[in-house]
């Protein structure tokens, strides 16, 4: 990451103190030489698998999450080339319906690279980063999501 | 050697501290830690589902560890159930 | 469009009076039932084909542009289903480097549909909407971009 | 019939008004309008490139018109050179 220190930005936002900021993400990945920015914003949904959700709590193993984001950024750079700026931020703590859970943004000279880099990053965040979601339901129950195993042979076993 | 395991996600529910200290052989591999944790969980965690541990990975602060790798020198690892970020 | 009047938003922003607003686009396509929002933001680049660009002017045939956006929205709905909110806004007039030229946002329950709908919309904006870009160069020269012919048999002949 | 053509993009440079009024047969098709505009351009537009018109489409306010379609009843059309939005 040292060689790309001004072109990648990762953040874990403890929602007791910080909010995710899509506008700041757009600003960060902007560049006079870039024409295309693709962004993904994940929000807490009011329903999941037929149950009424009132909120979610995200748990995270911070140092490894940041290492996974950095590795994903290297893969994105290998995929679309060096003219790339990336932002990844993920909320940690308890969120309500409609709150921002994750923001990914990718800026590149042209749009195809931006879409591909953005998609790669959100897939890594979803499938490989050590982040866990616990859903809180209207009936008072709470359940940890099933998720994707990080064990060998279990890669991408669940979406 | 003494190892300290930090627990995340659904594994947090089994112990308030979200951490477990175990004793393993000095030349223990990750697979040995998995075996030791399963024995501990079956002994001390009410309602423990072994399927969850089978699908959990062990990791240092920088990488997921494979089953055949040695335990990190500092004896600290994280136990990661299936992830669900985003 | 009548049946989806609250779920699609199209705007032509005469930059003498209006600015494109990505945050407002995100808000518009948000919904308690939606977990994923994909957005594309196009900005004016400082270089194109090796020439130094100082600005661009966009010309537009407004009524047909809005009709093309509406038709594209119907195609997106056919592609990903009815649970979809879309925003498309495009600047008109003279812009400087870094200014926003286009914003497309798509909100859906899950991320794959959001990415696909967003990509479809920006491709339609680029290839089928009656919008023309004139680039202004550092040396004082101005040139209309080559573009995609809308004639039969010429579809997608240029990117 | 009298038709009014509004010009866009690179076609604007040929006439300050960005519009041309032409006379065509009452049963004229889009292809006939294209032929009439080409004749007008070759006569009155200095430096006109016929390749640009060949790649331009004719449209109403709601749709691009095919070559065999009749001229809209109100005689108003837009001439659209290759597009470059986004």
């Amino acid at each position: 990451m040292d060689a790309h220190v001004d072109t990648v930005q990762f953040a874990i936002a403890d929602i007791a103190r910080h909010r995710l900021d899509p506008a700041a993400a757009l600003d960060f990945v902007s560049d006079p030489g870039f024409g295309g920015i693709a962004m993904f914003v994940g929000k807490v949904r009011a329903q999941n698998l037929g149950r009424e959700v009132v909120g979610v709590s995200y748990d995270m193993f911070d140092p490894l999450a940041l290492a996974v984001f950095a590795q994903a950024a290297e893969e994105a750079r290998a995929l679309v080339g060096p003219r790339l700026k990336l932002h990844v931020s993920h909320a940690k703590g308890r969120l309500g319906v409609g709150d921002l859970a994750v923001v990914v943004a990718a800026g590149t000279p042209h749009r195809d690279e931006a879409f591909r880099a953005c998609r790669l990053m959100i897939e890594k965040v979803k499938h490989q980063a050590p982040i866990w979601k616990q859903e809180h339901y209207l009936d008072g129950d709470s359940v940890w999501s099933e998720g994707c195993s990080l064990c060998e042979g279990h890669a991408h076993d669940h979406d | 050697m003494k190892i300290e395991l930090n627990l995340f996600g659904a594994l947090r529910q089994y112990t308030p501290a979200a951490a477990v200290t175990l004793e393993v052989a000095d030349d223990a591999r990750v697979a040995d830690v998995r075996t030791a944790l399963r024995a501990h969980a079956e002994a001390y965690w009410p309602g423990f589902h072994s399927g969850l541990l089978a699908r959990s990975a062990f990791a240092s602060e920088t990488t997921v560890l494979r089953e055949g790798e040695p335990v990190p020198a500092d004896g600290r690892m994280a136990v990661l159930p299936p992830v669900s970020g985003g």
Side-chain angles (χ1 to χ4, degrees), chain A residues 2-117:
Chain A
D2 287 355
H4 310 301
V5 70
D6 295 332
T7 59
V8 292
Q9 180 181 58
F10 307 130
I12 295 168
D14 189 325
I15 58 92
R17 293 189 302 272
H18 302 287
R19 301 209 136 253
L20 301 191
D21 186 344
L26 283 180
D27 283 347
F28 181 81
V29 302
S30 292
D31 185 281
F34 293 176
I37 296 172
M39 185 155 80
F40 178 80
V41 175
K43 294 191 172 194
V44 177
R45 273 183 298 151
Q47 301 93 24
N48 195 31
L49 305 175
R51 297 187 77 175
E52 203 70 21
V53 174
V54 294
V56 306
S57 295
Y58 281 105
D59 185 20
M60 198 176 312
F61 181 33
D62 298 4
L64 181 59
L66 294 171
V68 169
F69 296 166
Q71 187 195 331
E74 290 305 309
E75 290 183 40
R77 202 172 301 280
L79 183 71
V80 307
R83 299 186 66 193
L84 170 67
K85 289 185 178 178
L86 289 170
H87 166 100
V88 176
S89 52
H90 201 293
K92 180 177 169 178
R94 172 130 185 179
L95 303 177
V97 170
D99 284 350
L100 301 186
V102 61
V103 175
V104 173
T108 60
H110 300 283
R111 71 187 177 289
D112 185 61
E113 289 83 353
F115 274 105
R116 288 192 292 144

